[in-house]
Amino acid sequence: MLTLKHTNLLKTQCLVGLDSEGSDTNELNDGGWVSADSGETIKVTNPFNGETIATVPILSREQVLDAVGVSKKVQPIWANKTADERSALLSKWADLIDAHKEDLARIMTAEQGKPLKESRGEMDYANSYIRWFSAEAKRIYGDTIPAKNSNERIVVLKQPVGVCAAITPWNFPAAMITRKVAPALAAGCTMIVKPASETPLTALALGELALQAGIPKGVLQIVTGKSKVLGEVLTGDERIQKLTFTGSTEVGRTLMAQCADTIKKLSMELGGNAPFIVFEDADLEAAAEGLIAAKYRNAGQTCICANRIYVHRDIKEKFVDIYVKQVAELKVGNGMEEGTDLGPLINQEAVDKAKDLLQSSMEAGATLNAGGRPHEAGDLCCEPPGITDVTQNRDIANTEIFAPITAIMTFDDEADVIQRANDTIFGLAAYFYTNDLARSWRVCEALEYGMVGQNTGAISNAAAPFGGVKQSGFGREGSKYGIEDYVVTKYWCQKIG
Ligand code: ADP
């Protein structure tokens, strides 16, 4: 049995810089691990068996305000390091994450529930952002622009945006943090992270490794506590210049409104409602495999999960048959056991929502192809069902399902399926399967989404820009575009004679 007992990465305090008297020198060496002033804590539990793994502090408003003060003080000192120095520290951090990958994966599975193989995969994925932005730190280029008058010069500088805050969700406890922290630090920003209360332990372990790598205290701070209290400081404090958020559209909307008073730069990676279209010429075995990858990763709890499946009427029966057979092979259970494909859902609320969605679809005439019951492995485990004949106007087609339920609909022609695929407030990821070249371009261009996967259900990659359109948000994470969210453009006009 895998346990967490042996790991020294299980941190139960917050990582904050401490502002000691007279430390406004170039020394970045004060700070460390703190508990809540009140002594209050949040329990972190294992969703598979409900056991308490650890507790983390409920920091007070004043403690978080102090953290902002440290971030503000340290930021120009960090920005003053050379790009090579920042890059080297990020690389060292990535090396330590690689060296501790197994411990980090176990911590993640314990608090989040996902299978160990997925936690290991997420650690590699999370680390790929640190390596990517370690390299990008050296490529933050400005411009010179031909001026109107011969005695003028126009220069464009890219400078760090300043103090940044990140609020992150529980479904990817490492990757959602590294793809914000790595570009921020690469650009010369400091960062305060508020991880989800369900999964703070992976975040704190990453913070410990950042310290061990030599990233100066105060450059990366990790705070835990009541979301509303922390959120109010991180959105309302004028010393913070940017908020980056990944989570629900509903919370994103609230946070944007809270940031309005101080006009913060924002990046919002919000909810999705991904269509997955299987055209009549598609390779059906490959499409079924792709759908499993896009649907069942993290037990269906990802923002780019395939949510509405549109299958051409002529091939629907055959496709469902292949898909249901492949789904039946998936093993539901304890993520800590090797061989598990689907762990538990994050909490009872998630299970209840899934049950309600399934039930209302069945009442509206949908057919259940498999599963659809609680699984004997654990209270929060669900059998993965495939259901068909869902109609577009049902809850299940309009809600981000966030559970292992596949809602399948049929279509007759391309124009109709594109119209239905776009008929949502969301615009994060979309998938389609076809080998027809002309159709590929037509469909890709017509889909109102930030990311499109063709003949694949796995699109995430640190080299590519991740992000949405419409009410799925704005800003891009990863790729050469990702650094733009952490720099501001300064135009310098010089009269030289
Ligand atoms: P999810 O559905 O993934 O839980 P949420 O949008 O509810 O998405 O939460 C994402 C993150 O936002 C979590 O860290 C959560 O604690 C935080 N959060 C939720 N509500 C607020 C709020 N009012 N202020 C600040 N943070 C919040």
Side-chain angles (χ1 to χ4, degrees), residues 167-170 194-196 227-228 231 245-248 251 255:
I167 298 181
T168 57
W170 47 261
K194 187 210 92 62
S227 295
K228 197 162 177 305
F245 172 72
T246 298
S248 61
V251 173
L255 297 177

Side-chain angles (χ1 to χ4, degrees), residues 194-255:
K194 187 210 92 62
S197 302
E198 292 87 345
T199 57
L201 301 175
T202 305
L204 295 168
L206 288 173
E208 166 64 18
L209 293 175
L211 281 185
Q212 287 181 20
I215 292 177
K217 290 171 183 168
V219 169
L220 169 63
Q221 301 185 84
I222 300 170
V223 296
T224 60
K226 294 205 156 60
S227 295
K228 197 162 177 305
V229 175
L230 271 53
E232 275 168 13
V233 175
L234 300 180
T235 55
D237 195 303
E238 65 185 16
R239 294 170 294 179
I240 297 177
Q241 271 101 24
K242 176 183 169 101
L243 175 75
T244 167
F245 172 72
T246 298
S248 61
T249 294
E250 192 188 349
V251 173
R253 222 176 257 128
T254 304
L255 297 177

Side-chain angles (χ1 to χ4, degrees), residues 412-467:
D412 293 300
D413 71 78
E414 188 185 304
D416 171 52
V417 77
I418 287 175
Q419 186 274 324
R420 288 163 70 191
N422 287 339
D423 184 17
T424 167
I425 59 166
F426 298 106
L428 192 59
Y431 306 87
F432 67 95
Y433 274 70
T434 184
N435 291 310
D436 177 323
L437 181 63
R439 169 178 278 161
S440 303
W441 277 93
R442 276 196 311 270
V443 172
C444 180
E445 287 175 357
L447 285 170
E448 296 166 356
Y449 288 83
M451 296 174 283
V452 177
Q454 181 181 359
N455 297 339
T456 176
I459 56 174
S460 300
N461 183 336
F466 192 105

